[in-house]
Amino acid sequence: MNHAVSSHQGNLYIEQMPLDAIANQFGTPCYVYSKAAISANFLAYQNALADKAHLICYAVKANSNIAVLQTLAELGAGFDIVSVGELERVLRAGGDPSKVVFSGVAKTASDLQRALELGIHCFNVESEAELELLNQTAANCGLIAAVSLRVNPDVDAQTHPYISTGLKENKFGIDINLAPQVYQRAAQMSHINVVGVDCHIGSQLVDIAPFVAALERLLLLVDQLSELGIALEHIDIGGGLGVRYNNEQPPTAENYMAAVLPLLQGRSETLVLEPGRSIVANAGVLLTEVQYLKGNGEKNFAIVDAAMNDMIRPALYQAWMDIQPVVSSDVPAAVYDVVGPVCETGDFLAKERSLAISAGDRLCLFSAGAYGFVMSSNYNSRTRAPELMVDGDQVHLIRRRETIDDLLSGEQLLPTAG
Ligand code: LLP
C-alpha cells in the first residue's frame, strides 16, 4: 500500500520532510499531503489501464484543494464533480472540462447551464426529472447535453451503511430495471445525446466481488440497450476502492482492474472510473499537538488541538484511523482516548490506543488525505486548519490557516434601534 509516511530513527517523515519540522513551521492542527504519493496512486490506475481506452475521473469531493487537483490535472486526470463549486475548482486548477463528469442527485438548472456552457464530458443523470430539466436547459442554451444514466444495480457493497449507495433503499440513481425505458425516452429528446451508463455502489470497498457483480449487471443492460438501437460509448463504474486504515487488505488498483478488464474483453466502450479515496487517503495526514493529559482512574484522555470539526470520520462513521507520535519518546505508554476541544462526547479522533506521549508532543493521524479537510467545519467557531503539500524536500502552503476575520466575514449585526 502506498503510504506516504515513513519512519527514520523515531521520527516520522512525509517524503524527505520531517513532520515535526512542518508542525514547528506551520503550527497544528494541519493537513499534510505527499505529491509523490498522490501521483503514484493515480498512475497505478493509469498503468493498469494502459491497454484499454479509459478516462480516470478523480472524485473531487475526496480532497478538493486546487493544488491536489492541479497535480492530477497535470497527469491527465479527468474529474468527477458534484457541484458547480467543484467545477470551478477544477477550472482554477487547470483541469480540462471536456474530461469532467457531473454526478449528484440534485443538480439545479443553473448548475446544468454552467456545465453545459463549459462543454463537460457528460452528465451522470440520476432521475427522469433531472433528464427533463437537462433537456430543457440545453434547449434554452442551444446546446446538446451528453448523458449517462446513473443506474442503481441493487448490489450490496458491504461497507458502512452511510457510505453504501448501490442498494434499492439508497437515494442514488435510477432502478436498473426501469433504466431501459428511461434510456428510450432520453434517446428521443431533442437536446440529449445518450453516451453512457454509470454506477457507484459505495465507498471503502475492500472486496472486489461487489464491483464485479455491479459491472456484470451494467453489461447486461448495455447489451439490452444495444438491441434497442441505443449504442453507448462509455461505461462508468464509479469509485469506491477501499484503502488500508487498520488491518484491511483492500485490492490494489492493479488487482481491481485485473478483475474488471476480462469482463470488457472485446468491447469497444471506454472505461470510466471515479476514484477518490484510493488516490488521496494514504497520501495525507493530520498533525495535532497534545495539549493536556488527564485521567480519572478509569480512563486516560489525551486532549489534542484537532477536533471533530477538523476530521469528522471517527465521530460520523466510527472510522478507525491510526494515530502515532510524530517523534517517539521513552516515556511509559498508557491507553488513551484521543479527544479534541469541541464540546461533544462524540469529539474523538481515536479510542483506547496505547501511546507513549507527554503534553506538547505531536501526533500524526494517518490516512487523512481523503474526506478530511473537505468535511471540516467551523463548529465551535474554530478556524479551519491549513493544508500543506510536500514535494521531495520542499513543503508548500496550499491553503493558509483561517483567521478570526475569515471566520466572521460575511456576518452582519442587526441595525441598532433609533
Ligand atoms: N463517485 C460518486 C458518484 C461518489 O458518490 C463517490 C463518493 C465517489 C465517486 C468516490 O468514491 P471513493 O473512491 O472515494 O470511495 N465521507 C465518506 C465517504 C463518502 C463517499 C461519497 N461518495 C468517508 O469519509 O468515508
Side-chain angles (χ1 to χ4, degrees):
M1 190 41 62
N2 196 318
H3 222 290
V5 182
S6 59
S7 174
H8 302 289
Q9 294 167 341
N11 284 274
L12 296 184
Y13 283 70
I14 275 201
E15 299 190 29
Q16 281 124 62
M17 283 297 298
L19 292 178
D20 209 39
I22 295 180
N24 287 339
Q25 190 178 347
F26 296 97
T28 53
C30 66
Y31 276 95
V32 189
Y33 313 128
S34 156
K35 186 165 188 246
I38 294 171
S39 303
N41 291 337
F42 176 79
L43 292 172
Y45 278 101
Q46 204 170 62
N47 294 338
L49 292 171
D51 298 328
K52 172 76 188 160
H54 68 270
L55 180 60
I56 305 163
C57 294
Y58 166 69
V60 173
K61 65 171 80 68
N63 184 325
S64 59
N65 185 288
I66 56 175
V68 171
L69 304 184
Q70 174 192 23
T71 300
L72 292 166
E74 282 170 3
L75 296 172
F79 296 94
D80 167 50
I81 59 157
V82 291
S83 69
V84 163
E86 289 189 349
L87 181 53
E88 302 301 342
R89 285 176 173 279
V90 168
L91 295 181
R92 192 71 66 87
D96 178 353
S98 74
K99 291 184 182 171
V100 166
V101 299
F102 196 164
S103 303
V105 290
K107 305 175 196 85
T108 65
S110 78
D111 295 341
L112 297 172
Q113 184 175 337
R114 175 75 177 135
L116 274 165
E117 285 166 358
L118 288 166
I120 66 162
H121 184 66
C122 118
F123 293 85
N124 290 340
V125 169
E126 302 222 14
S127 65
E128 241 177 304
E130 181 191 337
L131 187 63
E132 275 164 33
L133 180 62
L134 180 57
N135 185 44
Q136 190 58 54
T137 311
N140 294 345
C141 306
L143 294 166
I144 302 286
V147 161
S148 164
L149 294 188
R150 174 167 178 181
V151 300
N152 186 335
D154 197 23
V155 164
D156 187 353
Q158 287 157 4
T159 185
H160 191 283
Y162 283 14
I163 51 177
S164 176
T165 47
L167 283 172
K168 263 197 170 158
E169 66 201 57
N170 300 133
K171 71 179 173 183
F172 301 98
I174 295 167
D175 183 337
I176 195 160
N177 300 311
L178 302 176
Q181 74 203 55
V182 184
Y183 268 103
Q184 282 176 299
R185 273 203 67 198
Q188 282 158 9
M189 289 181 170
S190 57
H191 289 76
I192 298 291
N193 179 24
V194 175
V195 296
V197 64
D198 163 48
C199 80
H200 170 80
I201 56 172
S203 196
Q204 184 55 13
L205 274 71
V206 291
D207 185 5
I208 291 182
F211 286 123
V212 169
L215 178 54
E216 282 170 344
R217 291 188 192 183
L218 284 194
L219 293 176
L220 287 177
L221 172 63
V222 173
D223 293 341
Q224 200 183 344
L225 292 174
S226 150
E227 278 163 28
L228 294 169
I230 300 174
L232 302 186
E233 293 163 23
H234 79 235
I235 299 174
D236 179 345
I237 56 176
L241 184 62
V243 300
R244 183 171 183 158
Y245 287 103
N246 189 359
N247 48 16
E248 305 90 340
Q249 298 286 345
T252 61
E254 197 182 0
N255 300 152
Y256 173 30
M257 289 304 108
V260 159
L261 286 174
L263 299 175
L264 299 174
Q265 194 73 43
R267 289 183 172 267
S268 59
E269 297 92 354
T270 299
L271 177 65
V272 180
L273 299 174
E274 301 171 359
R277 188 190 315 263
S278 53
I279 305 277
V280 286
N282 282 329
V285 300
L286 173 62
L287 300 184
T288 183
E289 187 172 292
V290 179
Q291 298 302 301
Y292 305 105
L293 296 178
K294 73 174 183 181
N296 60 13
E298 246 173 64
K299 258 193 164 321
N300 297 314
F301 295 98
I303 302 166
V304 300
D305 62 4
M308 65 190 288
N309 75 295
D310 299 298
M311 167 50 83
I312 203 172
R313 302 192 67 257
L316 190 57
Y317 314 113
Q318 297 79 47
W320 192 99
M321 302 180 75
D322 197 8
I323 193 161
Q324 298 290 339
V326 164
V327 177
S328 60
S329 85
D330 46 18
V331 301
V335 174
Y336 294 97
D337 281 4
V338 181
V339 300
V342 163
C343 303
E344 298 244 5
T345 302
D347 181 26
F348 65 92
L349 296 179
K351 284 195 169 167
E352 312 220 325
R353 305 295 172 84
S354 174
L355 293 164
I357 48 173
S358 315
D361 288 354
R362 273 76 177 252
L363 300 178
C364 171
L365 186 76
F366 288 82
S367 308
Y371 306 111
F373 182 87
V374 286
M375 294 181 82
S376 66
S377 75
N378 293 118
Y379 186 39
N380 277 206
S381 288
R382 288 169 50 80
T383 53
R384 279 181 295 175
E387 294 175 283
L388 304 149
M389 179 84 85
V390 173
D391 183 9
D393 59 2
Q394 304 282 311
V395 54
H396 302 284
L397 182 65
I398 58 172
R399 180 181 169 118
R400 64 168 172 76
R401 188 181 301 284
E402 279 181 350
T403 63
I404 299 295
D405 281 343
D406 293 331
L407 194 68
L408 293 174
S409 76
E411 289 185 39
Q412 236 171 310
L413 292 173
L414 293 171
T416 44

